[in-house]
């Protein structure tokens, strides 16, 4: 996705958040049955923008719900303050998608101690006292990516090549799970060599570009890039393209948003992506279910799908793109 398109998407998200704030504080707020708070880590990443869009669309189906969304601005301390504020507002349920697992654990525990049901979305925290976790199985997605990487590099028992892995945030469990799952397959192949040691792009395209630019300068041969999300895989692609080497390298990402990763695969810029469905809509549905006295499972695992050139066009068509 081009930088100007990312800015447009960020603007759209800001507008959506403004709409949410108006909705939550409007004249009819006193008529609503449930006040639900959602602490989002950031609103400028494309996947996070879709996350918010999904939860807003679900909230619109539930007139009994007053939804309050906060933006952590990609800062742990800001997100902690946001959750503390939601606790003071005595929300009936708290949805939180942490920037860092450890960094949000303390304030999540505060909410739990205040008898607020907590629904952890996407990234977990270091306590099991929450009501429910909703998200994708990042280790499973990593395994799928690793299995496909082995296939691209020659197949099981024969795979060979130089691999650049660009991590997400080192303090987040999804990054570790996506790494571990990937290596469950690739580490069995003695012909595969890893060129970088835990280089974090913090889920951001520009940081991945810089990591890849350095890798290209230091290595004459790179066969495959595994980015822990699509923006980082695309950042690596742009660096390779600027160096005139993109046609020699396979690029694998994760997220699979139709207007981002799927489009990049359809364009031939990424080789593949794996869907990581946003948990916004399901998380809100589960919170409402719980507040209405129904039982909820401790963990809801969202499905994934491999997207390559073969099925990308159909997915875009199905999404009206």
């Amino acid at each position: 996705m081009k930088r100007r398109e990312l800015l447009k998407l960020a603007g759209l998200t800001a507008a959506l958040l403004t709409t949410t704030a108006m909705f939550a504080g409007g004249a009819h707020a006193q008529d609503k049955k449930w006040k639900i708070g959602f602490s989002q880590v950031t609103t400028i990443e494309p996947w996070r923008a879709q996350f918010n869009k999904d939860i807003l669309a679900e909230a619109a189906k539930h007139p009994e719900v007053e939804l309050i969304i906060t933006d952590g601005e990609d800062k742990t301390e800001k997100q902690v303050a946001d959750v503390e504020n939601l606790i003071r507002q005595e929300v009936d349920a708290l949805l939180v998608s942490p920037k860092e697992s450890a960094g949000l654990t303390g304030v999540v525990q505060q909410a739990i101690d205040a008898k607020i049901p907590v629904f952890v979305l996407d990234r977990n925290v270091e306590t099991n006292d929450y009501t429910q976790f909703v998200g994708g199985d990042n280790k499973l997605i990593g395994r799928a990516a690793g299995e496909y990487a082995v296939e691209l590099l020659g197949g099981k028992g024969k795979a060979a090549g130089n691999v650049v892995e660009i991590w997400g945030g080192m303090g987040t469990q999804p990054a570790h799970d996506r790494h571990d799952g990937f290596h469950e397959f690739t580490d069995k192949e003695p012909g595969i060599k890893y060129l970088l040691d835990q280089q974090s792009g913090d889920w951001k395209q520009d940081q991945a570009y810089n990591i890849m630019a350095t890798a290209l300068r230091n290595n004459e041969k790179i066969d495959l890039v595994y980015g822990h999300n699509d923006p980082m895989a695309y950042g690596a692609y742009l660096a390779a393209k600027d160096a005139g080497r993109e046609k020699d390298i396979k690029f694998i990402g994760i997220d699979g948003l139709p207007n981002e990763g799927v489009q990049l695969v359809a364009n031939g810029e990424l080789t593949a992506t794996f869907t990581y469905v946003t948990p916004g809509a399901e998380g809100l549905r589960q919170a409402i279910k719980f507040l209405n006295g129904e039982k909820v499972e401790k963990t809801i695992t969202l499905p994934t799908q491999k997207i390559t050139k073969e099925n990308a066009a159909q997915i875009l068509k199905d999404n009206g793109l």
Side-chain angles (χ1 to χ4, degrees), residues 31 45 71 83 112 125 188 191 195 205 219 226 229 233 239 250 271 290 317:
D31 299 328
E45 294 173 9
D71 176 8
V83 174
I112 294 166
V125 288
K188 295 175 183 176
L195 300 180
Q205 178 179 308
N219 298 277
Y226 170 46
N229 70 358
K250 307 291 186 184
T271 309
F290 180 83
K317 183 179 178 181

Side-chain angles (χ1 to χ4, degrees), residues 81-99:
D82 289 343
V83 174
E84 290 174 340
N85 186 40
L86 290 170
I87 294 171
R88 286 193 294 271
Q89 292 186 56
E90 298 182 344
V91 293
D92 296 295
L94 172 67
L95 279 62
V96 58
S97 186
K99 175 175 173 60

